[in-house]
Amino acid sequence: MSTEDTTDAEARERLIDLAAEFYDQFAAGEIPRMELPTRTKSNIEYDPEKKVWVYGDRKSTRTANSVSGARKLLKASYTIDFLANQLDEDRSSTLRELYYLSESWNNEEAQFNSQDESNNLVEDLEIVTGATREDFHMRPEESGAKVMGPLLIREQTQRGDRDIHCQKDVGQGGYQIPNDTDTIEFLDNDAEFVMCVETGGMRDRLVENGFDDEYDCLVVHLGGQPARATRRLTKRLHDELDLPVVVFCDGDPWSYRIYGSVAYGSIKSAHLSEYLATPEAEYVGIRPQDIVDYDLPTDPLSDSDVNALESELDDPRFQTEFWEEQIELQLDIGKKAEQQALASRGLDFVTDTYLPERLDEMGVL
Amino acid sequence: MSTEDTTDAEARERLIDLAAEFYDQFAAGEIPRMELPTRTKSNIEYDPEKKVWVYGDRKSTRTANSVSGARKLLKASYTIDFLANQLDEDRSSTLRELYYLSESWNNEEAQFNSQDESNNLVEDLEIVTGATREDFHMRPEESGAKVMGPLLIREQTQRGDRDIHCQKDVGQGGYQIPNDTDTIEFLDNDAEFVMCVETGGMRDRLVENGFDDEYDCLVVHLGGQPARATRRLTKRLHDELDLPVVVFCDGDPWSYRIYGSVAYGSIKSAHLSEYLATPEAEYVGIRPQDIVDYDLPTDPLSDSDVNALESELDDPRFQTEFWEEQIELQLDIGKKAEQQALASRGLDFVTDTYLPERLDEMGVL
């Protein structure tokens, strides 16, 4: 799927084409249907050419041969109508607004019963049309995080273009990533690499210590599980500016998943891996090995931590020498540590010692 | 407590004075102690002069007459030493870093056992010294939210001053509020009022619909329970620019608490009410009355919603005609609604109809 250059008109056309297909199926006396890849862990596979994980060959079919199946296609038709109008008028809306908006539809059967239902339908439409939610002008609830570093961008806003340097034209808080990062053009940069940082506390530490300035690093704050906008921007920084990307998280299984969502994409949105994932992104830490090497303050692994680690060992995306070694070490020591635990060595340890050592080992510096 | 003009040197001096008090108590053969107001709902009272809720007269004493009490004062002394050095060096750190840093202290008894412990101690030090966490250069984990509207600010960053217009110099995401908003100077503005908005989805709707521009409104995104930085900035916009402040949230008891934290301050930080609270802030909605008037899509109240509403009826800060009427109505109808439920009337209903009507009723427009 190549979505980068999908225009509003194209996205609209693909949606209308899908509705037209239902129409043609009806007209030909067939039961209308929509075919989708099965979206489970067992149906994702590595695409060596695109270097990302994508859905495999297993398919599920939504068909109108039952009342509930027919209702699904009815909801799809109403949603297509709404999205086509939205694109026509150059408006946008959130997933939550779509859910509530359905209450105003004249056919009660077409209204959504829960937001999960409308969210899933929008994902289905992404897969079938090969466009993205952003192409439909659907915004997420929460926007992307923020960037600090030697990068000059031009953002095309509703109110005109804005040229913003992500160090010189922003406050201590940095540049706020908008919902749709494809409105951003990279004008100029002096960056050597991109570092995605999980927590706000560590992001602020790096900025306070001037790490972005000293190492010409673009510090991208993930803010926990990163929004699509943040992942998309990271991928574009890598692809378009040819910058190495590293990910700096807490040392626990949930944080490895955050790394995974940057590097591999998620199972739920494997249809967007090529658009959102940066497979070349490398994991800086906190590694279980760091817990041992630097004798970091730790918490014991909980049962759910252990389960999550075991499920990662089982996940094809984590079946590399690095991850198997680190996860087995972590199960062995039974401990986890946060990024900010590095403060037990002093506030400058992370920028004076830890990161330079790790980045040198990894060949980034 | 007047903290606005506390300089680094003053904050440092007050901390050292406290340590000196322990010393003098020792020297005089007394058991060292620290006296604090009791921080519970039953010990807050309305200060009609300052127009905020503050702690009452009930006191608790931390005293070294037990091992655990002595340990508390030891930890306080080590923390004072750390903070005094931090201020000397013009550095800052997060609450979490303080917790981890304590592992590097040479006396194991002084190290914190949990972050709650170090957080509480910092609050104690705020109360006793009459300074704020920000005066000690302690940063929160997460920074403030973002602002969009006709306001020109100057932010004094570590890297020099930045002049930023919160419409013309920012992207669609707006101006990112820094951790310490006392670094911000208001240079110029065309604003008529401030509207604090709970959810990102609604904030984006207002910006997309150009509400800030049409009504000369400063849209402040709260992002759920607002960070101190966001509350402090809101208060300064009210006090220094003489702007009315309104709060726009979901229609449920948790959102009324968000309003409460903007308007009244929180029980845990009643010592900071004068610094953080904007008692003149008014509640726009969603009101239970709106659920009825506009026939909004709702969810039923859960047991914990009902408990929270009842506890609000019991809270002196909510004992006004407006809140008693609205909360009783809500218990009566047994329903709650989100801000974005207004989308059931169309995407422009909120900016074309709902807000203009409500703001007119309230005398803001």
Side-chain angles (χ1 to χ4, degrees):
Chain A
M1 183 186 319
S2 169
T3 55
E4 210 159 313
D5 303 314
T6 309
T7 64
D8 291 358
E10 278 162 10
R12 189 174 177 282
E13 201 178 299
R14 292 192 208 167
L15 286 164
I16 304 262
D17 283 351
L18 180 60
E21 244 177 75
F22 297 157
Y23 184 90
D24 292 342
Q25 289 163 347
F26 267 120
E30 291 167 25
I31 297 173
R33 68 198 170 276
M34 190 162 86
E35 204 173 55
L36 291 157
T38 305
R39 293 199 272 157
T40 57
K41 191 157 80 177
S42 59
N43 192 39
I44 55 169
E45 52 185 48
Y46 186 70
D47 180 329
E49 195 193 322
K50 297 174 176 169
K51 291 193 281 180
V52 292
W53 292 84
V54 295
Y55 289 122
D57 293 331
R58 285 185 17 227
K59 301 276 179 193
S60 315
T61 304
R62 311 252 186 286
T63 155
N65 66 1
S66 70
V67 174
S68 87
R71 212 178 269 132
K72 272 200 176 120
L73 296 190
L74 180 72
K75 290 173 193 205
S77 307
Y78 268 83
T79 304
I80 288 171
D81 183 54
F82 166 72
L83 293 174
N85 280 329
Q86 169 161 291
L87 288 166
D88 236 11
E89 293 168 9
D90 196 20
R91 301 291 306 268
S92 65
S93 55
T94 65
L95 290 166
R96 198 151 197 83
E97 284 175 324
L98 169 61
Y99 162 60
Y100 282 121
L101 252 174
S102 74
E103 299 235 358
S104 66
W105 293 345
N106 57 14
N107 186 331
E108 248 183 62
E109 302 268 359
Q111 297 172 9
F112 296 111
N113 299 313
S114 72
Q115 204 190 332
D116 276 351
E117 198 186 2
S118 50
N119 289 356
N120 281 330
L121 175 61
V122 171
E123 284 174 5
D124 286 352
L125 292 178
E126 285 184 307
I127 296 175
V128 177
T129 61
T132 64
R133 196 168 75 191
E134 288 77 4
D135 293 329
F136 302 150
H137 292 198
M138 293 304 296
R139 291 185 265 105
E141 286 317 298
E142 296 301 335
S143 49
K146 46 205 189 178
V147 178
M148 183 73 113
L151 172 69
L152 176 65
I153 59 110
R154 171 169 299 159
E155 183 186 328
Q156 194 188 327
T157 79
Q158 280 178 313
R159 304 167 191 196
D161 288 355
R162 302 280 187 263
D163 290 4
I164 300 172
H165 188 281
C166 299
Q167 277 170 336
K168 295 175 193 156
D169 298 328
V170 297
Q172 199 82 9
Y175 166 66
Q176 172 72 42
I177 304 174
N179 289 308
D180 182 0
T181 54
D182 287 349
T183 59
I184 298 175
E185 188 185 340
F186 302 134
L187 297 182
D188 196 18
N189 80 91
D190 296 308
E192 295 291 330
F193 64 105
V194 176
M195 181 148 66
C196 300
V197 181
E198 178 179 351
T199 65
M202 182 52 79
R203 180 263 174 208
D204 291 344
R205 165 63 44 221
L206 298 182
V207 170
E208 172 173 328
N209 289 9
F211 185 82
D212 54 312
D213 205 33
E214 188 175 346
Y215 289 96
D216 291 326
C217 167
L218 299 179
V219 174
V220 175
H221 176 218
L222 297 176
Q225 192 63 40
R228 273 193 189 197
T230 314
R231 288 182 279 153
R232 174 70 184 148
L233 186 74
T234 301
K235 183 187 178 53
R236 289 190 53 210
L237 289 169
H238 174 271
D239 288 4
E240 295 172 35
L241 304 182
D242 205 21
L243 296 173
V245 172
V246 300
V247 181
F248 184 22
C249 291
D250 290 337
D252 64 49
W254 317 100
S255 299
Y256 309 154
R257 288 193 188 173
I258 289 175
Y259 161 74
S261 83
V262 172
Y264 312 135
S266 68
I267 292 169
K268 229 172 87 77
S269 59
H271 58 294
L272 296 168
S273 292
E274 206 191 336
Y275 174 75
L276 294 176
T278 309
E280 299 82 1
E282 288 192 87
Y283 188 75
V284 181
I286 304 289
R287 301 172 304 161
Q289 188 64 48
D290 297 327
I291 298 176
V292 178
D293 290 355
Y294 298 105
D295 190 23
L296 298 178
T298 57
D299 285 307
L301 294 178
S302 67
D303 289 349
S304 71
D305 290 334
V306 171
N307 289 341
L309 286 170
E310 278 166 356
S311 142
E312 279 162 7
L313 279 179
D314 227 31
D315 186 324
R317 298 167 303 173
F318 282 95
Q319 279 161 7
T320 65
E321 197 181 330
F322 173 82
W323 282 112
E324 284 175 359
E325 206 175 285
Q326 293 300 320
I327 292 173
E328 270 158 19
L329 173 62
Q330 186 150 34
L331 287 167
D332 197 46
I333 61 178
K335 289 172 184 169
K336 60 185 176 183
E338 296 186 347
Q339 311 193 275
Q340 292 191 71
L342 292 164
S344 65
R345 300 286 196 105
L347 295 179
D348 297 329
F349 180 75
V350 61
T351 46
D352 285 357
T353 308
Y354 177 78
L355 285 175
E357 278 182 15
R358 284 287 296 140
L359 293 168
D360 185 51
E361 266 172 47
M362 294 164 72
V364 175
L365 288 189
Chain B
M1 183 188 317
S2 169
T3 56
E4 208 160 316
D5 304 314
T6 309
T7 64
D8 291 359
E10 278 162 10
R12 189 173 177 282
E13 203 179 298
R14 293 193 208 167
L15 286 164
I16 304 260
D17 283 351
L18 179 60
E21 242 178 77
F22 297 156
Y23 183 91
D24 291 343
Q25 289 164 346
F26 267 121
E30 293 166 25
I31 297 172
R33 70 196 167 276
M34 190 162 86
E35 204 173 57
L36 291 158
T38 305
R39 293 199 272 156
T40 58
K41 191 157 76 175
S42 59
N43 191 39
I44 55 169
E45 52 187 46
Y46 187 70
D47 180 329
E49 195 193 322
K50 296 175 176 167
K51 291 191 283 179
V52 293
W53 292 85
V54 296
Y55 290 122
D57 293 332
R58 284 177 27 220
K59 301 276 180 193
S60 315
T61 305
R62 313 250 187 287
T63 155
N65 67 1
S66 69
V67 174
S68 87
R71 213 179 267 132
K72 271 201 177 119
L73 295 188
L74 180 71
K75 290 174 193 205
S77 307
Y78 269 84
T79 304
I80 289 170
D81 182 54
F82 166 72
L83 293 175
N85 280 329
Q86 170 161 290
L87 287 166
D88 236 12
E89 293 168 9
D90 196 20
R91 300 292 306 268
S92 65
S93 55
T94 65
L95 290 166
R96 199 150 197 84
E97 284 176 325
L98 168 62
Y99 162 61
Y100 282 122
L101 252 173
S102 75
E103 298 235 359
S104 67
W105 293 345
N106 58 14
N107 186 331
E108 248 182 64
E109 301 268 358
Q111 297 173 9
F112 295 110
N113 299 313
S114 72
Q115 204 190 332
D116 276 350
E117 197 184 2
S118 48
N119 289 357
N120 281 331
L121 176 61
V122 171
E123 283 174 6
D124 286 352
L125 293 177
E126 285 185 307
I127 296 174
V128 178
T129 62
T132 64
R133 196 169 76 189
E134 288 77 5
D135 293 329
F136 303 148
H137 291 198
M138 293 303 295
R139 289 186 265 106
E141 287 315 301
E142 296 303 336
S143 49
K146 48 205 187 178
V147 178
M148 182 74 111
L151 172 70
L152 177 65
I153 59 111
R154 172 169 297 158
E155 183 186 329
Q156 193 187 329
T157 78
Q158 279 178 316
R159 301 164 192 199
D161 288 353
R162 301 279 187 265
D163 289 4
I164 300 172
H165 189 282
C166 299
Q167 276 171 337
K168 296 176 191 154
D169 298 330
V170 297
Q172 199 81 9
Y175 167 65
Q176 172 72 44
I177 305 174
N179 289 307
D180 182 0
T181 54
D182 288 348
T183 59
I184 297 176
E185 189 186 337
F186 303 133
L187 297 183
D188 195 16
N189 80 92
D190 296 307
E192 294 292 331
F193 65 105
V194 176
M195 182 150 64
C196 300
V197 180
E198 178 179 351
T199 65
M202 182 52 77
R203 179 262 174 210
D204 291 344
R205 164 64 45 221
L206 298 182
V207 170
E208 173 173 328
N209 289 9
F211 185 83
D212 53 312
D213 206 30
E214 189 175 344
Y215 290 94
D216 292 327
C217 167
L218 300 178
V219 174
V220 175
H221 176 215
L222 298 175
Q225 191 62 43
R228 272 192 189 200
T230 314
R231 288 183 281 154
R232 174 69 183 147
L233 186 73
T234 300
K235 184 188 178 51
R236 288 190 55 211
L237 289 169
H238 174 271
D239 288 4
E240 295 173 33
L241 304 183
D242 204 21
L243 296 174
V245 171
V246 298
V247 181
F248 185 21
C249 292
D250 289 338
D252 64 48
W254 316 101
S255 298
Y256 309 153
R257 288 193 188 172
I258 289 176
Y259 162 74
S261 82
V262 173
Y264 311 135
S266 67
I267 293 170
K268 232 172 86 76
S269 58
H271 59 294
L272 296 169
S273 292
E274 207 191 338
Y275 174 75
L276 295 177
T278 310
E280 298 82 1
E282 289 192 86
Y283 188 75
V284 181
I286 304 292
R287 301 169 305 161
Q289 190 63 48
D290 297 326
I291 297 178
V292 177
D293 290 354
Y294 298 105
D295 190 24
L296 299 177
T298 56
D299 285 307
L301 293 178
S302 68
D303 289 350
S304 71
D305 291 333
V306 172
N307 289 340
L309 286 170
E310 278 166 356
S311 141
E312 279 162 7
L313 279 180
D314 226 30
D315 186 324
R317 299 169 302 173
F318 282 95
Q319 279 160 8
T320 66
E321 198 181 332
F322 173 82
W323 282 112
E324 284 176 0
E325 207 175 285
Q326 293 300 320
I327 292 173
E328 270 157 22
L329 174 62
Q330 185 149 36
L331 287 167
D332 197 44
I333 59 177
K335 289 171 184 168
K336 59 185 176 182
E338 296 185 346
Q339 312 194 273
Q340 292 191 73
L342 292 166
S344 66
R345 300 286 196 106
L347 294 178
D348 298 329
F349 181 74
V350 62
T351 47
D352 286 356
T353 307
Y354 177 78
L355 285 175
E357 278 182 14
R358 285 287 297 140
L359 294 169
D360 185 51
E361 267 170 46
M362 295 164 71
V364 175
L365 287 191

